[in-house]
Amino acid sequence: MAENQGLTPRAQDFSAWYNEAIMRAELADYSPVRGCMVIRPNGYAIWELMQRALDDMFKATGHRNAYFPLFIPQSFLQKEAEHVEGFAPEVALVTHAGGKELEEPLVVRPTSETIIYDSFAKWIHSYRDLPLLINQWCNIVRWEMRTRLFLRTTEFLWQEGHTAHADEADAEAEVRRMLGVYRRFAEEWMAMPVITGVKTDSEKFAGALRTYAIEGLMQDNKSLQAGTSHALGQNFAKAFGVQFQTAAGGLDFVWSTSWGVSTRLIGGLIMTHGDDVGIICPPRLAPTQVVVVPIYKSDTEREAVLQVSDGVVQELRTAGVRVELDAREGMKPGAKYYEWEGRGVPLRLEIGPKDVAKGQVFAARRTGGKAPIPLEGLAVSVQHALAEIQRTLFDTARERRDAATRRDVSKDDLIAMMAGPGGFAYAGFCGDVACETAIKDATKATVRVIPDEEFRSPTPPARCVWCGRPATSEAVWAKAY
RNA sequence: CGGGGCGUGGCGCAGACCGGUAGCGCGCCUGGUUUGGGACCAGGAGGUCGCGGGUUCGAGUCCCGCCGCCCCGACCA
């Protein structure tokens, strides 16, 4: 049958594949408003699972959720110089409402630092009020020039943590802690290996002292900034007068942090695991972890097969597995397979007359391989299989990332790499923005991070890959989303 | 904003160079037969051909203008 039902192969056109994979899985749709997207139930279900996992981690680290307004007085944004400058070009402004012009235009939040610090200034009086650990789940608007489903849309959903601390060390610990949470989420839930590190000044958040990030390498060997954690110093505290009385009786400004991940993670999930058939959901984030497809000819077969299938579904559901029974009539099993594979369901159980007779189901993994599983102890076997699939996805992704990583590259290597296969290039960096710019102009690659110790090369590079002067650090270069 | 591509039933496309009854595949609806990797037969529904002008007896097709979308680049999570 129709060969035209397949997706554009990744190797042929990764962008086309990405869009088609999203459409096939019914994760999202284009909207009537340019740059915006509709997140369909299949896509939103992934987001809900991400939210739940992350929210639990935020709560476990002492954070509480709150909600701040979508509209921010324009003047607020202007109180922090770098912040305005950074966000001004992509801000949407409400100038009219209620049928008349507003006295002061309202910014549609591109991020909530300013309006949150306005509140923090009211809430924080004493060192006893610190640390203040707040998170909010909300939507954000940034008027981007060029958009891409999930990866960069005009409006997107995210989570932004905002915390205030009595001293720099405590704030720094928070910034690192939340970067660690993001890393753990990426690795353990998304099965997406990431490197962590600090951003260069040119890549850091507008208004931050330092920005830390997790970066994953996608299948086209471009890097995706998947989460950021910012040390804001006392910049916003000073701009908004967030002061507190110290234990010693003095007055000081708080040290603050902010950190966020967004629906962009869904794009990362797609580009990390998808294959030419469609997306692949890691089991822990799969809205449907298991689909049961009954197979039969006669009515008697149908009855027996459906009875076993129902029992399987019940058993798995009771065991906490997210399972669906696809008992649609008039559709060939093969057609169902393709449909669920396109949606990324990690495990499929086929149940036919032969399986019923043998007391087994036939399990097909989205990561490859088919094998019978006995009905006896099925729930445990299925959970085992899901855990293995989760691990396989992570291992495969890490091997792919490592295979696309080169260390101690020379200037010529860097140029050749970025003109060719792409990937992560580790090399010495003098720290001069001039070299950063020159490299970007010549290769399109940017410094993704100055990697944390764990990711650094055993022998630190001695010289800058570009200018040859002594290196102040090792950096990771890649083309990025 | 620059470069490239594209707008024709829900989706994918043909028709355009050379103006003359709007077509194909998939999907959808009804009935029947099917069902271990994308079923088949029969019947059926569904289109302001992106929008606005113009040329013409007649425009999906030719001319002018506009709009939108996708991809690549500059800005960004």
Side-chain angles (χ1 to χ4, degrees):
Chain A
M1 262 238 41
E3 283 73 45
N4 61 358
Q5 288 178 18
L7 305 179
T8 300
R10 289 161 296 169
Q12 184 188 316
D13 184 343
F14 196 77
S15 292
W17 168 83
Y18 177 79
N19 288 328
E20 291 168 18
I22 287 169
M23 294 304 162
R24 163 164 287 194
E26 297 183 344
L27 299 183
D29 233 335
Y30 293 104
S31 88
V33 183
R34 83 175 304 136
C36 293
M37 70 186 286
V38 175
I39 303 178
R40 302 182 65 173
N42 289 349
Y44 202 81
I46 296 175
W47 180 237
E48 286 178 314
L49 289 166
M50 289 179 159
Q51 282 185 300
R52 195 182 308 165
L54 285 163
D55 202 63
D56 285 347
M57 291 191 233
F58 299 157
K59 301 272 170 62
T61 42
H63 302 85
R64 300 183 73 197
N65 285 331
Y67 186 80
F68 295 84
L70 166 68
F71 299 118
I72 301 176
Q74 191 177 25
S75 57
F76 277 31
L77 222 61
Q78 290 161 348
K79 291 189 183 183
E80 213 288 334
E82 278 186 35
H83 197 62
V84 212
E85 199 188 328
F87 281 102
E90 54 194 50
V91 149
L93 206 58
V94 179
T95 56
H96 290 73
K100 54 185 181 182
E101 190 168 352
L102 297 172
E103 275 184 36
E104 178 180 359
L106 296 171
V107 164
V108 182
R109 66 177 163 223
T111 179
S112 302
E113 273 76 6
T114 58
I115 196 146
I116 287 179
Y117 287 107
D118 180 67
S119 285
F120 278 13
K122 296 181 198 165
W123 299 346
I124 297 169
H125 306 103
S126 149
Y127 71 97
R128 295 181 202 278
D129 297 324
L130 299 174
L132 179 58
L133 309 175
I134 296 294
N135 178 64
Q136 92 166 339
W137 291 95
C138 66
N139 60 336
I140 286 293
V141 168
R142 294 181 187 175
W143 222 259
E144 301 289 354
M145 297 182 196
R146 194 173 151 223
T147 56
R148 221 147 148 21
L149 293 175
F150 289 113
L151 299 174
R152 181 171 298 99
T153 45
T154 299
E155 179 189 10
F156 58 94
L157 305 183
W158 80 346
Q159 144 291 302
E160 48 181 327
H162 295 273
T163 69
H165 306 261
D167 58 59
E168 179 165 26
D170 200 45
E172 182 69 11
E174 167 77 3
V175 172
R176 301 296 317 205
R177 180 181 310 122
M178 299 322 287
L179 187 74
V181 164
Y182 288 156
R183 178 191 176 177
R184 191 146 42 85
F185 176 77
E187 293 181 343
E188 294 177 9
W189 290 78
M190 295 178 66
M192 180 174 77
V194 290
I195 55 175
T196 64
V198 66
K199 291 282 179 181
T200 60
D201 281 353
S202 56
E203 296 273 330
K204 74 175 186 181
F205 178 75
L209 247 44
R210 284 179 304 284
T211 290
Y212 297 88
I214 58 170
E215 295 269 335
L217 193 67
M218 303 295 104
Q219 290 188 59
D220 58 350
N221 284 344
K222 284 170 75 175
S223 184
L224 182 76
Q225 178 172 303
T228 47
S229 187
H230 313 292
L232 302 176
Q234 294 177 306
N235 291 349
F236 285 92
K238 285 176 179 166
F240 286 85
V242 188
Q243 284 179 298
F244 69 101
Q245 292 209 325
T246 63
L251 206 55
D252 201 359
F253 289 103
V254 299
W255 294 77
S256 60
T257 84
S258 66
W259 29 273
V261 295
S262 71
T263 36
R264 169 179 254 205
L265 289 175
I266 297 174
L269 184 150
I270 296 163
M271 293 193 292
T272 299
H273 303 302
D275 64 14
D276 287 346
V277 176
I279 72 163
I280 300 179
C281 285
R284 295 186 82 183
L285 292 176
T288 301
Q289 296 172 304
V290 175
V291 62
V292 175
V293 180
I295 300 160
Y296 48 79
K297 292 192 176 73
S298 65
D299 277 354
T300 40
E301 279 181 358
R302 177 175 183 275
E303 196 179 334
V305 162
L306 283 181
Q307 194 185 335
V308 172
S309 299
D310 283 336
V312 164
V313 169
Q314 287 308 319
E315 183 184 344
L316 293 179
R317 199 161 278 158
T318 303
V321 176
R322 293 187 288 272
V323 57
E324 295 284 337
L325 174 68
D326 187 351
R328 285 176 291 179
E329 301 283 345
M331 199 172 172
K332 304 266 281 189
K336 294 180 181 178
Y337 300 167
Y338 282 104
E339 187 173 309
W340 291 103
E341 283 167 3
R343 291 184 182 186
V345 174
L347 187 65
R348 177 179 72 238
L349 301 182
E350 305 167 10
I351 305 179
K354 294 176 201 165
D355 302 304
V356 171
K358 290 186 202 167
Q360 65 176 37
V361 301
F362 218 76
R365 298 185 183 198
R366 184 65 179 79
T367 46
K370 277 194 181 192
I373 302 181
L375 279 173
E376 186 74 38
L378 182 72
V380 172
S381 308
V382 162
Q383 281 168 329
H384 206 78
L386 290 173
E388 276 184 11
I389 293 166
Q390 182 85 26
R391 190 170 336 119
T392 299
L393 286 171
F394 180 75
D395 289 346
T396 305
R398 189 176 48 191
E399 281 159 24
R400 195 199 71 238
R401 195 257 329 255
D402 290 347
T405 297
R406 296 280 177 278
R407 289 182 185 267
D408 197 25
V409 301
S410 67
K411 186 172 182 173
D412 288 345
D413 291 340
L414 183 63
I415 292 168
M417 213 172 143
M418 295 309 152
F424 281 145
Y426 285 66
F429 179 40
C430 62
D432 190 337
V433 68
C435 276
E436 229 179 322
T437 309
I439 290 172
K440 181 166 188 185
D441 290 346
T443 68
K444 309 278 185 218
T446 49
V447 173
R448 299 324 302 156
V449 285
I450 306 294
D452 286 331
E453 188 168 4
E454 174 186 344
F455 299 97
R456 284 176 213 152
S457 305
T459 335
R463 310 216 152 260
C464 176
V465 65
W466 207 254
C467 65
R469 288 177 291 176
T472 55
S473 63
E474 181 175 37
V476 183
W477 273 273
K479 289 195 246 184
Y481 276 100

mmCIF file of all heavy atoms in Angstrom, chain A residues 318-353:
data_model
loop_
_atom_site.group_PDB
_atom_site.id
_atom_site.type_symbol
_atom_site.label_atom_id
_atom_site.label_comp_id
_atom_site.label_asym_id
_atom_site.label_seq_id
_atom_site.Cartn_x
_atom_site.Cartn_y
_atom_site.Cartn_z
ATOM 1 N N THR A 318 -4.463 -1.590 36.818
ATOM 2 C CA THR A 318 -4.375 -1.740 38.278
ATOM 3 C C THR A 318 -2.930 -1.590 38.748
ATOM 4 O O THR A 318 -2.658 -1.054 39.821
ATOM 5 C CB THR A 318 -4.901 -3.137 38.696
ATOM 6 O OG1 THR A 318 -6.238 -3.274 38.216
ATOM 7 C CG2 THR A 318 -4.891 -3.300 40.208
ATOM 8 N N ALA A 319 -2.013 -2.042 37.898
ATOM 9 C CA ALA A 319 -0.596 -1.963 38.257
ATOM 10 C C ALA A 319 -0.028 -0.568 37.999
ATOM 11 O O ALA A 319 1.156 -0.327 38.189
ATOM 12 C CB ALA A 319 0.192 -3.004 37.475
ATOM 13 N N GLY A 320 -0.892 0.345 37.528
ATOM 14 C CA GLY A 320 -0.438 1.723 37.334
ATOM 15 C C GLY A 320 0.152 1.989 35.955
ATOM 16 O O GLY A 320 0.775 3.033 35.740
ATOM 17 N N VAL A 321 -0.057 1.084 35.026
ATOM 18 C CA VAL A 321 0.447 1.284 33.664
ATOM 19 C C VAL A 321 -0.597 2.064 32.865
ATOM 20 O O VAL A 321 -1.792 1.790 32.968
ATOM 21 C CB VAL A 321 0.722 -0.079 32.978
ATOM 22 C CG1 VAL A 321 1.152 0.132 31.530
ATOM 23 C CG2 VAL A 321 1.772 -0.851 33.754
ATOM 24 N N ARG A 322 -0.139 3.051 32.090
ATOM 25 C CA ARG A 322 -1.067 3.797 31.229
ATOM 26 C C ARG A 322 -1.293 2.986 29.947
ATOM 27 O O ARG A 322 -0.429 2.934 29.076
ATOM 28 C CB ARG A 322 -0.492 5.180 30.916
ATOM 29 C CG ARG A 322 -0.399 6.097 32.141
ATOM 30 C CD ARG A 322 0.023 7.511 31.787
ATOM 31 N NE ARG A 322 1.427 7.593 31.397
ATOM 32 C CZ ARG A 322 2.438 7.768 32.245
ATOM 33 N NH1 ARG A 322 2.205 7.871 33.545
ATOM 34 N NH2 ARG A 322 3.676 7.851 31.805
ATOM 35 N N VAL A 323 -2.453 2.335 29.888
ATOM 36 C CA VAL A 323 -2.698 1.370 28.813
ATOM 37 C C VAL A 323 -3.989 1.693 28.073
ATOM 38 O O VAL A 323 -4.957 2.165 28.668
ATOM 39 C CB VAL A 323 -2.729 -0.073 29.397
ATOM 40 C CG1 VAL A 323 -3.779 -0.194 30.494
ATOM 41 C CG2 VAL A 323 -2.978 -1.112 28.315
ATOM 42 N N GLU A 324 -3.990 1.455 26.769
ATOM 43 C CA GLU A 324 -5.186 1.646 25.943
ATOM 44 C C GLU A 324 -5.499 0.352 25.214
ATOM 45 O O GLU A 324 -4.586 -0.354 24.770
ATOM 46 C CB GLU A 324 -4.942 2.725 24.876
ATOM 47 C CG GLU A 324 -4.698 4.116 25.397
ATOM 48 C CD GLU A 324 -5.962 4.810 25.874
ATOM 49 O OE1 GLU A 324 -7.067 4.423 25.430
ATOM 50 O OE2 GLU A 324 -5.828 5.713 26.711
ATOM 51 N N LEU A 325 -6.779 0.062 25.082
ATOM 52 C CA LEU A 325 -7.217 -1.067 24.280
ATOM 53 C C LEU A 325 -7.720 -0.512 22.955
ATOM 54 O O LEU A 325 -8.579 0.354 22.922
ATOM 55 C CB LEU A 325 -8.342 -1.821 25.003
ATOM 56 C CG LEU A 325 -9.007 -2.954 24.195
ATOM 57 C CD1 LEU A 325 -8.028 -4.100 23.969
ATOM 58 C CD2 LEU A 325 -10.251 -3.467 24.912
ATOM 59 N N ASP A 326 -7.147 -1.014 21.852
ATOM 60 C CA ASP A 326 -7.610 -0.553 20.544
ATOM 61 C C ASP A 326 -8.466 -1.639 19.919
ATOM 62 O O ASP A 326 -7.989 -2.472 19.154
ATOM 63 C CB ASP A 326 -6.414 -0.224 19.638
ATOM 64 C CG ASP A 326 -6.863 0.424 18.336
ATOM 65 O OD1 ASP A 326 -8.086 0.462 18.081
ATOM 66 O OD2 ASP A 326 -5.993 0.895 17.581
ATOM 67 N N ALA A 327 -9.762 -1.597 20.256
ATOM 68 C CA ALA A 327 -10.677 -2.643 19.776
ATOM 69 C C ALA A 327 -11.509 -2.158 18.599
ATOM 70 O O ALA A 327 -12.578 -2.682 18.327
ATOM 71 C CB ALA A 327 -11.580 -3.091 20.927
ATOM 72 N N ARG A 328 -11.001 -1.150 17.893
ATOM 73 C CA ARG A 328 -11.769 -0.631 16.759
ATOM 74 C C ARG A 328 -12.048 -1.719 15.724
ATOM 75 O O ARG A 328 -11.147 -2.455 15.336
ATOM 76 C CB ARG A 328 -11.017 0.535 16.103
ATOM 77 C CG ARG A 328 -11.092 1.821 16.914
ATOM 78 C CD ARG A 328 -10.260 2.900 16.275
ATOM 79 N NE ARG A 328 -8.823 2.614 16.367
ATOM 80 C CZ ARG A 328 -7.890 3.407 15.866
ATOM 81 N NH1 ARG A 328 -8.224 4.520 15.229
ATOM 82 N NH2 ARG A 328 -6.612 3.098 16.003
ATOM 83 N N GLU A 329 -13.291 -1.782 15.306
ATOM 84 C CA GLU A 329 -13.676 -2.778 14.303
ATOM 85 C C GLU A 329 -13.338 -2.247 12.904
ATOM 86 O O GLU A 329 -13.229 -1.043 12.693
ATOM 87 C CB GLU A 329 -15.187 -3.028 14.371
ATOM 88 C CG GLU A 329 -15.696 -3.529 15.719
ATOM 89 C CD GLU A 329 -15.390 -5.013 15.936
ATOM 90 O OE1 GLU A 329 -15.047 -5.694 14.952
ATOM 91 O OE2 GLU A 329 -15.488 -5.470 17.096
ATOM 92 N N GLY A 330 -13.203 -3.191 11.972
ATOM 93 C CA GLY A 330 -13.042 -2.783 10.587
ATOM 94 C C GLY A 330 -11.717 -2.128 10.278
ATOM 95 O O GLY A 330 -11.568 -1.404 9.300
ATOM 96 N N MET A 331 -10.731 -2.344 11.128
ATOM 97 C CA MET A 331 -9.410 -1.790 10.864
ATOM 98 C C MET A 331 -8.418 -2.929 11.043
ATOM 99 O O MET A 331 -8.454 -3.646 12.043
ATOM 100 C CB MET A 331 -9.137 -0.672 11.876
ATOM 101 C CG MET A 331 -8.060 0.272 11.470
ATOM 102 S SD MET A 331 -8.001 1.665 12.621
ATOM 103 C CE MET A 331 -6.511 2.465 12.060
ATOM 104 N N LYS A 332 -7.555 -3.104 10.067
ATOM 105 C CA LYS A 332 -6.589 -4.186 10.142
ATOM 106 C C LYS A 332 -5.594 -3.897 11.259
ATOM 107 O O LYS A 332 -5.259 -2.742 11.519
ATOM 108 C CB LYS A 332 -5.822 -4.308 8.818
ATOM 109 C CG LYS A 332 -6.701 -4.502 7.599
ATOM 110 C CD LYS A 332 -6.887 -5.956 7.266
ATOM 111 C CE LYS A 332 -5.656 -6.479 6.541
ATOM 112 N NZ LYS A 332 -5.885 -7.838 6.022
ATOM 113 N N PRO A 333 -5.115 -4.966 11.901
ATOM 114 C CA PRO A 333 -4.126 -4.768 12.969
ATOM 115 C C PRO A 333 -2.935 -3.934 12.496
ATOM 116 O O PRO A 333 -2.472 -3.035 13.206
ATOM 117 C CB PRO A 333 -3.686 -6.190 13.313
ATOM 118 C CG PRO A 333 -4.838 -7.044 12.923
ATOM 119 C CD PRO A 333 -5.457 -6.379 11.725
ATOM 120 N N GLY A 334 -2.458 -4.212 11.297
ATOM 121 C CA GLY A 334 -1.292 -3.493 10.779
ATOM 122 C C GLY A 334 -1.519 -2.002 10.751
ATOM 123 O O GLY A 334 -0.635 -1.211 11.081
ATOM 124 N N ALA A 335 -2.717 -1.598 10.372
ATOM 125 C CA ALA A 335 -3.035 -0.171 10.318
ATOM 126 C C ALA A 335 -2.953 0.441 11.709
ATOM 127 O O ALA A 335 -2.463 1.552 11.890
ATOM 128 C CB ALA A 335 -4.416 0.027 9.721
ATOM 129 N N LYS A 336 -3.435 -0.331 12.686
ATOM 130 C CA LYS A 336 -3.359 0.160 14.070
ATOM 131 C C LYS A 336 -1.910 0.286 14.519
ATOM 132 O O LYS A 336 -1.533 1.245 15.191
ATOM 133 C CB LYS A 336 -4.106 -0.800 14.997
ATOM 134 C CG LYS A 336 -5.602 -0.855 14.743
ATOM 135 C CD LYS A 336 -6.278 -1.829 15.690
ATOM 136 C CE LYS A 336 -7.785 -1.894 15.411
ATOM 137 N NZ LYS A 336 -8.451 -2.882 16.289
ATOM 138 N N TYR A 337 -1.093 -0.701 14.138
ATOM 139 C CA TYR A 337 0.322 -0.653 14.529
ATOM 140 C C TYR A 337 0.972 0.655 14.067
ATOM 141 O O TYR A 337 1.650 1.342 14.823
ATOM 142 C CB TYR A 337 1.114 -1.817 13.920
ATOM 143 C CG TYR A 337 0.640 -3.207 14.299
ATOM 144 C CD1 TYR A 337 1.088 -4.325 13.606
ATOM 145 C CD2 TYR A 337 -0.250 -3.393 15.351
ATOM 146 C CE1 TYR A 337 0.668 -5.601 13.946
ATOM 147 C CE2 TYR A 337 -0.689 -4.666 15.700
ATOM 148 C CZ TYR A 337 -0.235 -5.761 14.982
ATOM 149 O OH TYR A 337 -0.657 -7.014 15.304
ATOM 150 N N TYR A 338 0.758 0.968 12.797
ATOM 151 C CA TYR A 338 1.378 2.175 12.245
ATOM 152 C C TYR A 338 0.905 3.419 12.982
ATOM 153 O O TYR A 338 1.685 4.323 13.259
ATOM 154 C CB TYR A 338 1.075 2.292 10.753
ATOM 155 C CG TYR A 338 1.934 1.391 9.912
ATOM 156 C CD1 TYR A 338 1.434 0.218 9.362
ATOM 157 C CD2 TYR A 338 3.278 1.695 9.691
ATOM 158 C CE1 TYR A 338 2.233 -0.621 8.611
ATOM 159 C CE2 TYR A 338 4.087 0.865 8.936
ATOM 160 C CZ TYR A 338 3.558 -0.300 8.397
ATOM 161 O OH TYR A 338 4.356 -1.118 7.667
ATOM 162 N N GLU A 339 -0.390 3.421 13.282
ATOM 163 C CA GLU A 339 -0.934 4.597 13.957
ATOM 164 C C GLU A 339 -0.312 4.798 15.340
ATOM 165 O O GLU A 339 0.123 5.896 15.686
ATOM 166 C CB GLU A 339 -2.455 4.452 14.078
ATOM 167 C CG GLU A 339 -3.116 5.712 14.611
ATOM 168 C CD GLU A 339 -4.637 5.617 14.574
ATOM 169 O OE1 GLU A 339 -5.179 5.279 13.505
ATOM 170 O OE2 GLU A 339 -5.276 5.862 15.612
ATOM 171 N N TRP A 340 -0.240 3.738 16.122
ATOM 172 C CA TRP A 340 0.313 3.864 17.479
ATOM 173 C C TRP A 340 1.816 4.087 17.465
ATOM 174 O O TRP A 340 2.368 4.762 18.336
ATOM 175 C CB TRP A 340 -0.061 2.634 18.311
ATOM 176 C CG TRP A 340 -1.531 2.577 18.607
ATOM 177 C CD1 TRP A 340 -2.468 1.784 17.999
ATOM 178 C CD2 TRP A 340 -2.258 3.375 19.551
ATOM 179 N NE1 TRP A 340 -3.719 2.030 18.511
ATOM 180 C CE2 TRP A 340 -3.625 2.999 19.468
ATOM 181 C CE3 TRP A 340 -1.897 4.369 20.460
ATOM 182 C CZ2 TRP A 340 -4.626 3.577 20.257
ATOM 183 C CZ3 TRP A 340 -2.893 4.936 21.250
ATOM 184 C CH2 TRP A 340 -4.234 4.546 21.153
ATOM 185 N N GLU A 341 2.461 3.520 16.471
ATOM 186 C CA GLU A 341 3.902 3.758 16.348
ATOM 187 C C GLU A 341 4.153 5.236 16.058
ATOM 188 O O GLU A 341 5.056 5.847 16.622
ATOM 189 C CB GLU A 341 4.510 2.874 15.249
ATOM 190 C CG GLU A 341 4.684 1.428 15.716
ATOM 191 C CD GLU A 341 4.979 0.453 14.590
ATOM 192 O OE1 GLU A 341 5.116 0.881 13.426
ATOM 193 O OE2 GLU A 341 5.065 -0.756 14.879
ATOM 194 N N GLY A 342 3.333 5.803 15.193
ATOM 195 C CA GLY A 342 3.472 7.224 14.865
ATOM 196 C C GLY A 342 3.243 8.113 16.074
ATOM 197 O O GLY A 342 3.754 9.222 16.146
ATOM 198 N N ARG A 343 2.457 7.621 17.017
ATOM 199 C CA ARG A 343 2.213 8.395 18.232
ATOM 200 C C ARG A 343 3.282 8.165 19.285
ATOM 201 O O ARG A 343 3.238 8.762 20.356
ATOM 202 C CB ARG A 343 0.863 8.010 18.829
ATOM 203 C CG ARG A 343 -0.293 8.457 17.981
ATOM 204 C CD ARG A 343 -1.578 8.123 18.683
ATOM 205 N NE ARG A 343 -2.714 8.507 17.873
ATOM 206 C CZ ARG A 343 -3.979 8.432 18.306
ATOM 207 N NH1 ARG A 343 -4.222 7.992 19.516
ATOM 208 N NH2 ARG A 343 -4.959 8.805 17.525
ATOM 209 N N GLY A 344 4.179 7.229 18.998
ATOM 210 C CA GLY A 344 5.310 7.034 19.890
ATOM 211 C C GLY A 344 5.066 6.111 21.065
ATOM 212 O O GLY A 344 5.867 6.081 22.000
ATOM 213 N N VAL A 345 3.970 5.368 21.051
ATOM 214 C CA VAL A 345 3.688 4.457 22.167
ATOM 215 C C VAL A 345 4.818 3.428 22.285
ATOM 216 O O VAL A 345 5.108 2.707 21.329
ATOM 217 C CB VAL A 345 2.342 3.735 21.948
ATOM 218 C CG1 VAL A 345 2.110 2.683 23.022
ATOM 219 C CG2 VAL A 345 1.212 4.757 21.938
ATOM 220 N N PRO A 346 5.462 3.356 23.439
ATOM 221 C CA PRO A 346 6.678 2.541 23.557
ATOM 222 C C PRO A 346 6.475 1.031 23.471
ATOM 223 O O PRO A 346 7.365 0.322 23.034
ATOM 224 C CB PRO A 346 7.252 2.927 24.919
ATOM 225 C CG PRO A 346 6.175 3.636 25.647
ATOM 226 C CD PRO A 346 5.235 4.199 24.637
ATOM 227 N N LEU A 347 5.298 0.551 23.903
ATOM 228 C CA LEU A 347 5.116 -0.899 23.910
ATOM 229 C C LEU A 347 3.726 -1.285 23.396
ATOM 230 O O LEU A 347 2.728 -0.709 23.802
ATOM 231 C CB LEU A 347 5.300 -1.442 25.342
ATOM 232 C CG LEU A 347 5.306 -2.964 25.495
ATOM 233 C CD1 LEU A 347 6.513 -3.582 24.795
ATOM 234 C CD2 LEU A 347 5.297 -3.354 26.971
ATOM 235 N N ARG A 348 3.695 -2.278 22.494
ATOM 236 C CA ARG A 348 2.427 -2.747 21.954
ATOM 237 C C ARG A 348 2.262 -4.229 22.282
ATOM 238 O O ARG A 348 3.215 -5.005 22.141
ATOM 239 C CB ARG A 348 2.420 -2.582 20.434
ATOM 240 C CG ARG A 348 1.148 -3.131 19.773
ATOM 241 C CD ARG A 348 1.166 -2.917 18.280
ATOM 242 N NE ARG A 348 2.111 -3.775 17.595
ATOM 243 C CZ ARG A 348 3.106 -3.346 16.842
ATOM 244 N NH1 ARG A 348 3.313 -2.057 16.682
ATOM 245 N NH2 ARG A 348 3.921 -4.197 16.249
ATOM 246 N N LEU A 349 1.094 -4.574 22.761
ATOM 247 C CA LEU A 349 0.806 -5.982 23.033
ATOM 248 C C LEU A 349 -0.218 -6.460 22.024
ATOM 249 O O LEU A 349 -1.332 -5.951 21.961
ATOM 250 C CB LEU A 349 0.264 -6.151 24.459
ATOM 251 C CG LEU A 349 1.177 -5.666 25.596
ATOM 252 C CD1 LEU A 349 0.531 -5.941 26.944
ATOM 253 C CD2 LEU A 349 2.552 -6.326 25.517
ATOM 254 N N GLU A 350 0.159 -7.464 21.221
ATOM 255 C CA GLU A 350 -0.758 -8.054 20.258
ATOM 256 C C GLU A 350 -1.323 -9.323 20.887
ATOM 257 O O GLU A 350 -0.581 -10.118 21.448
ATOM 258 C CB GLU A 350 -0.008 -8.393 18.964
ATOM 259 C CG GLU A 350 0.728 -7.202 18.376
ATOM 260 C CD GLU A 350 1.716 -7.621 17.281
ATOM 261 O OE1 GLU A 350 1.698 -8.791 16.855
ATOM 262 O OE2 GLU A 350 2.516 -6.757 16.863
ATOM 263 N N ILE A 351 -2.642 -9.451 20.814
ATOM 264 C CA ILE A 351 -3.278 -10.632 21.386
ATOM 265 C C ILE A 351 -4.184 -11.279 20.340
ATOM 266 O O ILE A 351 -5.201 -10.692 19.963
ATOM 267 C CB ILE A 351 -4.092 -10.283 22.645
ATOM 268 C CG1 ILE A 351 -3.203 -9.562 23.669
ATOM 269 C CG2 ILE A 351 -4.704 -11.550 23.250
ATOM 270 C CD1 ILE A 351 -3.914 -9.156 24.945
ATOM 271 N N GLY A 352 -3.787 -12.448 19.845
ATOM 272 C CA GLY A 352 -4.574 -13.182 18.856
ATOM 273 C C GLY A 352 -4.952 -14.545 19.396
ATOM 274 O O GLY A 352 -4.555 -14.908 20.510
ATOM 275 N N PRO A 353 -5.690 -15.315 18.597
ATOM 276 C CA PRO A 353 -6.122 -16.653 19.021
ATOM 277 C C PRO A 353 -4.955 -17.549 19.441
ATOM 278 O O PRO A 353 -5.050 -18.272 20.417
ATOM 279 C CB PRO A 353 -6.803 -17.203 17.766
ATOM 280 C CG PRO A 353 -7.197 -16.002 16.977
ATOM 281 C CD PRO A 353 -6.192 -14.950 17.269
#
